[in-house]
Amino acid sequence: MDAWLVDLDQVVPTFHEQAALTEEELRRGAEFVHARAAHRFFRARLTVRRLLAERLGLDPRDLRIHYDPAGKPYLPDQPGTHVSWSRSDGMLLLGATETGPVGVDVELVRPAGTSMEVLSFVYPAAPATATPRAFFHAWTLLEAAVKATGRGLARGAKEVDLDFAPDGAVTLRGITGHGTHPWHGHTSLHPTHPTAPSAMTAFVSHDRPPFRVRPWPPR
Protein backbone atom coordinates (compact mmCIF):
# COMPACT_ATOMS: atom_id res chain seq x y z
CA MET A 1 0.00 0.00 0.00
CA ASP A 2 1.23 3.47 -0.91
CA ALA A 3 -0.54 6.33 0.84
CA TRP A 4 -0.23 10.11 0.85
CA LEU A 5 -1.81 12.80 3.03
CA VAL A 6 -1.81 16.01 1.01
CA ASP A 7 -2.13 19.60 2.19
CA LEU A 8 -3.92 21.05 -0.84
CA ASP A 9 -3.24 24.65 0.19
CA GLN A 10 0.49 23.95 -0.20
CA VAL A 11 0.19 22.38 -3.66
CA VAL A 12 1.39 24.52 -6.57
CA PRO A 13 0.50 22.76 -9.86
CA THR A 14 2.71 23.35 -12.87
CA PHE A 15 1.31 24.45 -16.23
CA HIS A 16 2.19 21.00 -17.59
CA GLU A 17 0.14 19.30 -14.86
CA GLN A 18 -2.85 21.60 -15.33
CA ALA A 19 -3.12 20.37 -18.92
CA ALA A 20 -4.03 16.94 -17.52
CA LEU A 21 -7.46 18.08 -16.27
CA THR A 22 -10.34 16.61 -18.24
CA GLU A 23 -13.29 18.58 -19.59
CA GLU A 24 -15.51 16.96 -16.96
CA GLU A 25 -13.15 18.03 -14.15
CA LEU A 26 -13.00 21.57 -15.51
CA ARG A 27 -16.81 21.66 -15.67
CA ARG A 28 -17.17 20.40 -12.09
CA GLY A 29 -14.62 22.86 -10.78
CA ALA A 30 -16.43 25.74 -12.48
CA GLU A 31 -19.61 24.87 -10.55
CA PHE A 32 -18.10 25.84 -7.18
CA VAL A 33 -19.33 29.19 -5.89
CA HIS A 34 -16.22 30.01 -3.87
CA ALA A 35 -12.82 30.27 -5.53
CA ARG A 36 -11.01 28.54 -2.67
CA ALA A 37 -13.24 25.47 -2.97
CA ALA A 38 -12.68 25.36 -6.73
CA HIS A 39 -8.91 25.68 -6.31
CA ARG A 40 -8.87 22.84 -3.79
CA PHE A 41 -10.94 20.64 -6.12
CA PHE A 42 -8.57 21.26 -9.03
CA ARG A 43 -5.50 20.74 -6.85
CA ALA A 44 -6.94 17.48 -5.51
CA ARG A 45 -7.54 16.07 -8.99
CA LEU A 46 -4.14 17.24 -10.24
CA THR A 47 -2.38 15.78 -7.21
CA VAL A 48 -4.12 12.42 -7.63
CA ARG A 49 -2.93 12.31 -11.24
CA ARG A 50 0.59 13.44 -10.37
CA LEU A 51 1.18 10.95 -7.55
CA LEU A 52 -0.39 7.99 -9.35
CA ALA A 53 1.42 8.81 -12.59
CA GLU A 54 4.76 9.01 -10.75
CA ARG A 55 4.04 5.67 -9.08
CA LEU A 56 3.22 4.05 -12.43
CA GLY A 57 5.96 5.75 -14.44
CA LEU A 58 3.55 7.73 -16.62
CA ASP A 59 2.96 11.29 -17.72
CA PRO A 60 -0.03 12.70 -15.75
CA ARG A 61 -1.73 13.53 -19.05
CA ASP A 62 -1.58 9.85 -20.05
CA LEU A 63 -3.21 8.54 -16.88
CA ARG A 64 -6.85 7.68 -17.54
CA ILE A 65 -9.21 7.63 -14.53
CA HIS A 66 -12.69 6.21 -14.94
CA TYR A 67 -15.56 5.67 -12.50
CA ASP A 68 -17.91 2.72 -12.18
CA PRO A 69 -21.71 3.27 -11.88
CA ALA A 70 -21.36 3.66 -8.10
CA GLY A 71 -18.71 6.37 -8.48
CA LYS A 72 -15.72 4.20 -7.48
CA PRO A 73 -12.56 5.29 -9.38
CA TYR A 74 -10.47 2.83 -11.35
CA LEU A 75 -7.61 2.90 -13.83
CA PRO A 76 -8.74 1.18 -17.06
CA ASP A 77 -5.17 0.89 -18.41
CA GLN A 78 -3.76 -0.49 -15.12
CA PRO A 79 -6.43 -2.97 -13.95
CA GLY A 80 -4.09 -4.47 -11.36
CA THR A 81 -3.73 -1.19 -9.47
CA HIS A 82 -6.56 -0.27 -7.12
CA VAL A 83 -7.00 3.32 -5.95
CA SER A 84 -9.13 5.38 -3.60
CA TRP A 85 -9.07 8.94 -2.36
CA SER A 86 -10.95 11.21 0.01
CA ARG A 87 -10.97 14.93 0.70
CA SER A 88 -11.88 16.94 3.79
CA ASP A 89 -11.62 20.69 3.25
CA GLY A 90 -7.94 21.30 2.44
CA MET A 91 -6.70 17.75 3.11
CA LEU A 92 -6.57 14.92 0.57
CA LEU A 93 -5.87 11.25 1.35
CA LEU A 94 -4.83 8.95 -1.50
CA GLY A 95 -4.17 5.20 -1.40
CA ALA A 96 -2.97 2.77 -4.07
CA THR A 97 -2.30 -0.97 -3.92
CA GLU A 98 -2.06 -4.09 -6.06
CA THR A 99 -3.51 -6.50 -3.49
CA GLY A 100 -7.18 -5.83 -4.26
CA PRO A 101 -9.90 -3.23 -3.64
CA VAL A 102 -9.06 -0.36 -1.30
CA GLY A 103 -11.08 2.36 0.38
CA VAL A 104 -9.75 5.40 2.22
CA ASP A 105 -11.31 8.25 4.14
CA VAL A 106 -10.04 11.41 5.83
CA GLU A 107 -11.94 13.69 8.19
CA LEU A 108 -10.78 16.79 10.02
CA VAL A 109 -11.46 16.21 13.72
CA ARG A 110 -13.86 18.88 14.93
CA PRO A 111 -16.27 18.79 17.90
CA ALA A 112 -19.82 17.83 16.91
CA GLY A 113 -22.54 17.60 19.52
CA THR A 114 -24.74 15.22 17.51
CA SER A 115 -21.95 12.99 16.18
CA MET A 116 -23.07 9.81 17.95
CA GLU A 117 -26.68 10.32 16.85
CA VAL A 118 -25.48 10.56 13.24
CA LEU A 119 -23.36 7.44 13.65
CA SER A 120 -26.24 5.46 15.17
CA PHE A 121 -28.55 6.49 12.32
CA VAL A 122 -26.08 5.35 9.64
CA TYR A 123 -24.78 2.37 11.61
CA PRO A 124 -27.50 1.06 13.97
CA ALA A 125 -25.15 -1.68 15.19
CA ALA A 126 -23.13 0.90 17.13
CA PRO A 127 -23.53 0.10 20.83
CA ALA A 128 -25.32 2.57 23.07
CA THR A 129 -22.22 2.62 25.27
CA ALA A 130 -20.02 4.02 22.46
CA THR A 131 -18.51 7.38 23.40
CA PRO A 132 -17.90 10.47 21.23
CA ARG A 133 -14.20 9.56 21.32
CA ALA A 134 -15.06 6.61 19.05
CA PHE A 135 -16.90 8.64 16.44
CA PHE A 136 -14.11 9.60 14.02
CA HIS A 137 -12.52 6.13 14.21
CA ALA A 138 -15.88 4.51 13.42
CA TRP A 139 -17.01 7.02 10.80
CA THR A 140 -13.80 6.95 8.77
CA LEU A 141 -13.65 3.14 8.93
CA LEU A 142 -17.25 2.95 7.69
CA GLU A 143 -16.57 5.36 4.85
CA ALA A 144 -13.39 3.54 3.85
CA ALA A 145 -15.08 0.14 3.99
CA VAL A 146 -18.00 1.08 1.74
CA LYS A 147 -15.59 2.76 -0.69
CA ALA A 148 -13.57 -0.47 -0.83
CA THR A 149 -16.68 -2.48 -1.69
CA GLY A 150 -18.18 0.24 -3.89
CA ARG A 151 -21.49 0.02 -2.06
CA GLY A 152 -21.82 3.46 -0.45
CA LEU A 153 -23.06 4.15 3.08
CA ALA A 154 -26.77 3.69 2.35
CA ARG A 155 -26.36 0.12 1.11
CA GLY A 156 -22.99 -0.94 2.45
CA ALA A 157 -22.90 0.19 6.10
CA LYS A 158 -24.91 -2.81 7.28
CA GLU A 159 -22.31 -5.14 5.72
CA VAL A 160 -19.49 -3.66 7.85
CA ASP A 161 -18.70 -5.31 11.19
CA LEU A 162 -17.04 -2.90 13.63
CA ASP A 163 -15.85 -3.63 17.15
CA PHE A 164 -16.11 -0.81 19.71
CA ALA A 165 -13.66 -1.00 22.62
CA PRO A 166 -14.40 0.63 26.01
CA ASP A 167 -11.45 3.04 25.56
CA GLY A 168 -12.95 4.52 22.36
CA ALA A 169 -10.88 2.49 19.90
CA VAL A 170 -12.75 1.00 16.93
CA THR A 171 -11.52 -1.88 14.78
CA LEU A 172 -12.80 -3.61 11.65
CA ARG A 173 -13.77 -7.24 12.17
CA GLY A 174 -14.84 -7.83 8.57
CA ILE A 175 -17.17 -7.05 5.69
CA THR A 176 -19.82 -9.62 4.81
CA GLY A 177 -20.62 -10.66 1.26
CA HIS A 178 -17.42 -9.44 -0.39
CA GLY A 179 -15.10 -12.37 -0.98
CA THR A 180 -13.24 -14.81 1.22
CA HIS A 181 -10.03 -12.81 1.68
CA PRO A 182 -9.83 -11.05 5.05
CA TRP A 183 -10.38 -7.30 5.18
CA HIS A 184 -8.09 -5.16 7.30
CA GLY A 185 -8.85 -1.69 8.65
CA HIS A 186 -6.54 0.90 10.11
CA THR A 187 -7.12 4.39 11.52
CA SER A 188 -4.57 6.99 12.62
CA LEU A 189 -4.54 10.61 13.70
CA HIS A 190 -2.24 13.10 11.98
CA PRO A 191 -1.41 16.70 12.93
CA THR A 192 -2.01 19.28 10.21
CA HIS A 193 -1.24 22.91 11.19
CA PRO A 194 -0.66 24.22 14.73
CA THR A 195 -3.98 26.13 14.62
CA ALA A 196 -5.95 23.60 12.52
CA PRO A 197 -7.79 20.38 13.45
CA SER A 198 -5.96 17.06 13.24
CA ALA A 199 -6.88 14.68 10.44
CA MET A 200 -8.23 11.18 11.09
CA THR A 201 -7.36 8.76 8.30
CA ALA A 202 -8.75 5.29 7.62
CA PHE A 203 -7.75 2.54 5.21
CA VAL A 204 -9.65 -0.64 4.39
CA SER A 205 -8.12 -3.24 2.08
CA HIS A 206 -6.60 -6.71 2.00
CA ASP A 207 -3.24 -5.20 3.03
CA ARG A 208 -2.22 -5.75 6.62
CA PRO A 209 -1.82 -2.56 8.67
CA PRO A 210 -0.20 -0.38 9.71
CA PHE A 211 0.49 1.73 6.65
CA ARG A 212 3.01 4.52 6.31
CA VAL A 213 1.16 7.69 5.32
CA ARG A 214 3.53 10.10 3.60
CA PRO A 215 2.89 13.84 3.93
CA TRP A 216 2.85 15.71 0.62
CA PRO A 217 4.23 18.08 -0.55
CA PRO A 218 7.38 16.76 1.17
CA ARG A 219 8.37 18.80 4.21
Side-chain angles (χ1 to χ4, degrees):
M1 170 83 72
D2 286 318
W4 301 265
L5 183 62
V6 180
D7 183 345
L8 294 173
D9 293 333
Q10 300 301 315
V11 171
V12 182
T14 66
F15 179 80
H16 177 78
E17 290 171 336
Q18 293 180 50
L21 288 170
T22 66
E23 291 185 4
E24 173 63 15
E25 289 168 336
L26 290 171
R27 182 193 63 79
R28 287 189 58 187
E31 292 176 350
F32 286 92
V33 175
H34 300 291
R36 189 178 190 186
H39 291 161
R40 285 175 170 175
F41 171 81
F42 288 137
R43 289 172 182 175
R45 292 307 175 92
L46 290 168
T47 301
V48 165
R49 289 181 180 280
R50 174 176 180 171
L51 293 175
L52 292 180
E54 287 180 354
R55 186 179 188 272
L56 295 166
L58 301 172
D59 187 294
R61 295 175 297 179
D62 296 330
L63 180 69
R64 294 199 303 152
I65 301 174
H66 287 188
Y67 301 86
D68 67 14
K72 184 176 175 62
Y74 67 95
L75 309 180
D77 301 322
Q78 292 82 25
T81 298
H82 301 265
V83 299
S84 179
W85 60 83
S86 172
R87 186 164 66 90
S88 181
D89 287 346
M91 301 304 297
L92 168 75
L93 180 66
L94 171 65
T97 182
E98 279 71 40
T99 65
V102 57
V104 308
D105 189 56
V106 60
E107 301 288 344
L108 293 181
V109 178
R110 299 186 178 98
T114 60
S115 59
M116 298 311 292
E117 288 85 350
V118 172
L119 178 63
S120 297
F121 177 78
V122 174
Y123 189 70
T129 54
T131 65
R133 184 177 178 183
F135 173 75
F136 283 99
H137 293 282
W139 187 264
T140 54
L141 274 177
L142 273 177
E143 287 273 17
V146 299
K147 286 182 180 180
T149 61
R151 295 278 286 169
L153 279 174
R155 294 185 301 163
K158 63 180 179 294
E159 301 166 346
V160 182
D161 185 10
L162 298 179
D163 179 63
F164 291 76
D167 64 356
V170 182
T171 55
L172 177 70
R173 283 193 289 223
I175 308 174
T176 60
H178 293 278
T180 58
H181 294 291
W183 291 97
H184 300 287
H186 173 63
T187 61
S188 57
L189 194 62
H190 303 266
T192 54
H193 301 292
T195 59
S198 297
M200 180 71 76
T201 64
F203 299 83
V204 170
S205 68
H206 298 310
D207 295 87
R208 287 186 175 276
F211 311 117
R212 177 172 173 259
V213 182
R214 287 175 280 180
W216 203 87
R219 297 169 184 170

